[in-house]
Amino acid sequence: MNKRIAIRQMSAHVEQEVTLEGWLYTKTDKGRLQFLQVRDGTGICQAVVFKKNVSSEAFDHARKLTQESSLRVTGTVKADARAPGTPGGYELDVTDMEVVQIADEYPIQPKEHGVEFLIRNRHLWIRSARQWAVLRVRATVIRAIRDWLDDNGFLNVDTPILTPNAAEGTTTLFEIDFHGEPAYLAQTGQLYNEANIFAFGKVYCFGPTFRAEKSKTRRHLQEFWMVEPEIAFCDLNGLMEIEEQFVSYIVQRCLAENAEELKVLERNISSLERVAPSFPRIHYDEAVALLNRAAAAGESVPGYEDKVPHIEWGDDFGSPHETYIAAQFDKPVFVHHYPTQVKAFYMEPEPDRPQVCRSVDLLAPEGYGEISGGSERMAEVDKLTAGIKAHGLPMASYDWYIDLRRYGTVAHSGFGLGLERTVAWICGAAHLREVIAFPRILGSMRP
Ligand code: 4AD
Ligand code: MG
């Protein structure tokens, strides 16, 4: 009985006879030689079936294989493959093969398909090399997020998905019926995190998040994943220090663990290699000045047709603004102290200048825009109730949240990092729908 191994383990089995189980990715028929590209989920390997080395039955099977047929293939692992297309550099000299199923004609061909077609066939598209690579990087990002937080004193406390109130504005709520009472799918776990820090000091929640965004852009999903660390006794500066270490660690783990995947993605990694603390920090005022100088000079935004649009002080940035700002730096950049009027009700206003608040967004390079948003939180009862009123929110649903300011309140801060935005940036993916296995975007939730 031959040893069954994964393609990723082939380097440890050179010159040994092994069995791989997988699917036919592509095939080149050279008559007496069949070159099979076999994938098994861990990688792709070239299996060479030479007529004189196998039974006539096995050779017959090899010839009949269609794209995505499932199979078992046995042979000797060879290093230093002659075929330059062999990823990983190992090939299998086939001695036997068994067909599990001859697949029907597969709808996704190696040629180009429109993205609408691919999304409709997402259950099959995830088998393609690029999609495979992206979803493996995503898994690394998730591991890195958990490892860094777990190793740095944060406790994972899960927060509810069914919630009675809004936390990030009322325009993106998904309303559901909670036995006759309206409830909403969580836009954030933050408010509960704020309760949890008073029990545990430093916490994080990490889970699915829902926003009924009315716009269909490459940066917005209806359902996405967000990790939200929250820290007691921490101000805005302390928060930025944590964020830059955290984000740098995530990027460096991907470079270390996903070299093969990033190669499949043809990702230019030089800008990722520079991601290390500290990150540049600019005040919202400076960002506005920078943008309006560029607008006045008629500068264009990298990757966009348009010129840099003028911005009024007090407005939130659009994607072209974020892209232009990020392009001025060679690392992700923090923009802090946004106008209070464009941010959520819970952000601490600057005492000497309440028109701005202690908020910070992290903008990724290369047009990926805001990957995280965070702030110092209002720590006093009066300020908080004023904030809730100013946003027209129902005071009664926030009673427990206000309570947190009554029993040992402290300066505290937190942020939310969007998983898909982060993965898209690391992978160089054009659209967030490619970096989650089954995306939910405006007007599409199938499959
Ligand atoms: O800036 P946001 O809305 O912040 C919060 O929800 C805070 N409560 C977080 C906190 O302080 N604990 O969202 C945080 C991040 C954004 O920077 C972005 O990366 C991502 O979540 N995000 C989205 N990702 C995909 N699709 C959407 N519709 C997203 N909306 C936000
Ligand atoms: Mg935000």
Side-chain angles (χ1 to χ4, degrees):
M1 179 67 189
N2 280 301
K3 208 173 165 146
R4 273 188 287 167
I5 65 161
I7 289 172
R8 202 149 272 252
Q9 301 167 320
M10 285 175 81
S11 60
H13 296 273
V14 176
E15 294 303 330
Q16 293 172 19
E17 186 159 89
V18 300
T19 298
L20 305 175
E21 296 176 305
W23 299 266
L24 184 77
Y25 199 49
T26 57
K27 187 178 79 170
T28 312
D29 188 337
K30 298 266 184 208
R32 293 155 57 79
L33 272 170
Q34 302 287 318
F35 295 97
L36 315 179
Q37 303 288 330
V38 175
R39 53 169 202 85
D40 74 343
T42 73
I44 297 181
C45 144
Q46 175 158 277
V48 184
V49 191
F50 191 12
K51 193 167 185 184
K52 73 172 175 47
N53 292 347
V54 294
S55 69
S56 61
E57 198 192 5
F59 190 75
D60 224 39
H61 284 157
R63 295 199 71 169
K64 288 200 185 108
L65 287 174
T66 54
Q67 190 184 350
E68 290 305 313
S69 291
S70 41
L71 53 92
R72 273 186 207 94
V73 64
T74 298
T76 311
V77 178
K78 295 287 175 192
D80 195 20
R82 275 154 296 172
T86 306
Y90 299 93
E91 62 175 38
L92 199 70
D93 243 355
V94 176
T95 54
D96 198 9
M97 75 160 300
E98 182 193 332
V99 178
V100 180
Q101 190 209 27
I102 294 287
D104 288 356
E105 196 184 331
Y106 192 62
I108 300 181
Q109 304 296 316
K111 69 167 170 93
E112 291 281 309
H113 290 282
V115 83
E116 291 304 324
F117 171 84
L118 291 169
I119 279 287
R120 246 185 293 126
N121 287 285
R122 184 62 173 169
H123 56 299
L124 305 176
W125 189 25
I126 53 174
R127 303 181 189 192
S128 301
R130 266 191 74 85
Q131 304 308 309
W132 171 86
V134 163
L135 292 174
R136 287 179 62 93
V137 172
R138 176 186 171 105
T140 305
V141 172
I142 293 170
R143 279 198 307 280
I145 284 172
R146 292 197 178 276
D147 286 348
W148 192 89
L149 292 166
D150 293 342
D151 292 347
N152 282 277
F154 288 77
L155 191 78
N156 177 207
V157 184
D158 296 318
T159 53
I161 286 173
L162 298 182
T163 61
N165 43 13
E168 295 295 330
T170 49
T171 57
T172 61
L173 287 170
F174 275 111
E175 189 173 329
I176 55 159
D177 175 21
F178 190 73
H179 307 287
E181 199 190 321
Y184 311 100
L185 298 181
Q187 296 171 307
T188 169
Q190 181 198 321
L191 306 195
Y192 297 97
N193 268 346
E194 288 185 60
N196 294 335
I197 54 164
F198 292 93
F200 304 106
K202 298 199 277 186
V203 302
Y204 69 97
C205 61
F206 188 11
T209 311
F210 305 87
R211 303 270 171 102
E213 306 272 6
K214 298 299 180 304
S215 54
K216 194 172 177 178
T217 82
R218 61 197 167 93
R219 290 181 184 178
H220 290 98
L221 296 170
Q222 304 276 300
E223 175 181 317
F224 63 98
W225 282 62
M226 176 159 59
V227 58
E228 297 181 87
E230 189 77 24
I231 311 104
F233 296 102
C234 178
D235 64 10
L236 188 65
N237 281 320
L239 189 71
M240 289 191 266
E241 278 165 26
I242 290 170
E243 270 194 63
E244 64 198 8
Q245 289 173 44
F246 178 58
V247 169
S248 301
Y249 177 82
I250 294 168
V251 171
Q252 296 311 319
R253 272 283 291 269
C254 291
L255 290 176
E257 294 181 13
N258 292 118
E260 187 185 329
E261 287 80 2
L262 293 168
K263 213 153 125 197
V264 169
L265 295 168
E266 299 173 72
R267 180 71 169 108
N268 175 357
I269 58 170
S270 59
S271 82
L272 298 176
E273 284 169 339
R274 285 194 298 271
V275 180
S278 59
F279 297 167
R281 300 169 186 202
I282 63 168
H283 194 288
Y284 173 85
D285 290 347
E286 278 173 77
V288 167
L290 187 81
L291 289 168
N292 285 340
R293 273 199 305 275
E299 278 189 56
S300 46
V301 184
Y304 283 76
E305 308 267 290
D306 322 334
K307 306 276 180 217
V308 178
H310 177 85
I311 183 164
E312 284 303 319
W313 194 98
D315 286 349
D316 205 356
F317 300 135
S319 292
H321 295 128
E322 289 181 350
T323 299
Y324 181 82
I325 296 166
Q328 308 314 303
F329 302 91
D330 66 353
K331 287 185 189 182
V333 54
F334 288 118
V335 180
H336 55 83
H337 284 97
Y338 282 79
T340 308
Q341 67 193 50
V342 300
K343 289 292 184 187
F345 72 93
Y346 51 72
M347 296 193 181
E348 177 77 13
E350 195 55 50
D352 301 336
R353 192 184 165 199
Q355 298 78 11
V356 296
C357 60
R358 292 190 178 163
S359 51
V360 62
D361 282 2
L362 183 62
L363 308 184
E366 301 166 80
Y368 287 94
E370 176 196 335
I371 56 169
S372 89
S375 72
E376 198 174 316
R377 321 304 192 187
M378 282 173 177
E380 291 158 34
V381 173
D382 296 348
K383 274 192 202 164
L384 184 57
T385 50
I388 293 171
K389 269 200 203 105
H391 280 80
L393 297 167
M395 196 66 68
S397 3
Y398 297 89
D399 52 355
W400 66 269
Y401 184 67
I402 300 166
D403 249 5
L404 304 173
R405 280 72 184 164
R406 293 199 173 99
Y407 307 110
T409 193
V410 296
H412 63 283
S413 303
F415 66 90
L417 179 78
L419 178 65
E420 289 77 13
R421 298 246 182 116
T422 305
V423 175
W425 163 47
I426 293 173
C427 290
H431 198 298
L432 291 202
R433 68 188 159 206
E434 282 192 46
V435 309
I436 184 165
F438 294 98
R440 270 74 187 99
I441 49 187
L442 190 63
S444 143
M445 61 164 196
R446 287 191 182 79

